Amino acid sequence: MIRLLDFIFALLGLLFGFPVLLVLVVIGLFDTGSPVFRQKRVGRYGVPFTLVKFRTMKKNTASVASHLASADAITPFGHFLRRSKLDELPQLWNVLKGEMSLVGPRPCLFNQEVLIEERQSRGVLAARPGITGLAQVKDIDMSTPRLLAETDHEMLENLTVAAYFKYIFLTLAGKGAGDRIPGKD
């Protein structure tokens, strides 16, 4: 049921959000010269997939978790995108393809070995990664791998259709700060 909801909402989001996506691409061209960012992430069962987001940091920034990134790397437009969570919109494509869900554990980088181990031990990697979830609305980021994995596990154990809609609504209503960048929050 959740996969069907993911597909419908991702398709509708891409169709109706196309004008917004187009505007953000054009502004992003002026901001960084390369508005779309692609990065290999840990997917379901640990299988790699290419995550698509709007670029919020300068090109050639080191590929590290946001909490380890330099505050100087983020652009002013990128800061707006992160705060408004609009940088996540292109991930609707990942959801449409079945690589992600709207609700699930945020996909981490392969160099975040402690988080991967914590998630593996709790069965979290058996789920599709998501755009939002319990950890995001509680402001728990990847700087606390054990707490994040525990929260992801809790969410997955109690994920119902009602909870699915709750996490989406809370995210759209502005709950959660988004990815933290030291010195930018």
Side-chain angles (χ1 to χ4, degrees), residues 54-98:
F54 281 125
R55 184 178 301 279
T56 59
M57 297 185 191
K58 296 172 187 167
K59 287 170 71 173
N60 302 320
T61 299
S63 185
V64 296
S66 293
H67 69 279
L68 299 174
S70 166
D72 296 333
I74 193 165
T75 68
F77 182 61
H79 185 66
F80 163 76
L81 288 173
R82 283 173 175 264
R83 279 288 173 202
S84 64
K85 300 179 180 102
L86 290 171
D87 64 319
E88 310 286 356
L89 280 177
Q91 289 173 67
L92 291 174
W93 176 248
N94 294 112
V95 174
L96 193 66
K97 290 172 56 181

Side-chain angles (χ1 to χ4, degrees), residues 39-43 49 51 53 63-69 82 88 91 100 104-119 124-125 129-152 177-182 185:
Q39 186 178 56
K40 289 284 182 207
R41 295 284 181 106
V42 178
F49 76 101
L51 178 103
K53 288 180 83 166
S63 185
V64 296
S66 293
H67 69 279
L68 299 174
R82 283 173 175 264
E88 310 286 356
Q91 289 173 67
M100 291 181 69
R106 288 293 298 147
C108 62
L109 298 167
F110 279 92
N111 62 8
Q112 292 177 284
E113 294 165 5
V114 174
L115 178 57
I116 293 168
E117 288 172 16
E118 292 285 344
R119 284 179 166 173
V124 172
L125 293 180
I131 294 175
T132 192
L134 179 59
Q136 286 65 48
V137 300
K138 283 186 153 188
D139 285 331
I140 299 169
D141 69 8
M142 294 184 182
S143 65
T144 54
R146 184 176 184 160
L147 177 60
L148 179 57
E150 289 169 353
T151 306
D152 290 339
D179 294 332
R180 291 187 190 105
I181 301 290
D185 294 329

Side-chain angles (χ1 to χ4, degrees), residues 1-70:
M1 176 63 154
I2 288 182
R3 177 66 193 128
L4 178 63
L5 292 171
D6 279 343
F7 184 84
I8 291 167
F9 291 135
L11 183 62
L12 291 173
L14 288 168
L15 289 174
F16 291 110
F18 185 75
V20 174
L21 289 164
L22 193 57
V23 168
L24 295 175
V25 164
V26 170
I27 294 171
L29 279 170
F30 288 102
D31 185 48
T32 62
S34 179
V36 178
F37 176 71
R38 292 173 193 83
Q39 186 178 56
K40 289 284 182 207
R41 295 284 181 106
V42 178
R44 189 174 194 186
Y45 303 117
V47 175
F49 76 101
T50 302
L51 178 103
V52 183
K53 288 180 83 166
F54 281 125
R55 184 178 301 279
T56 59
M57 297 185 191
K58 296 172 187 167
K59 287 170 71 173
N60 302 320
T61 299
S63 185
V64 296
S66 293
H67 69 279
L68 299 174
S70 166

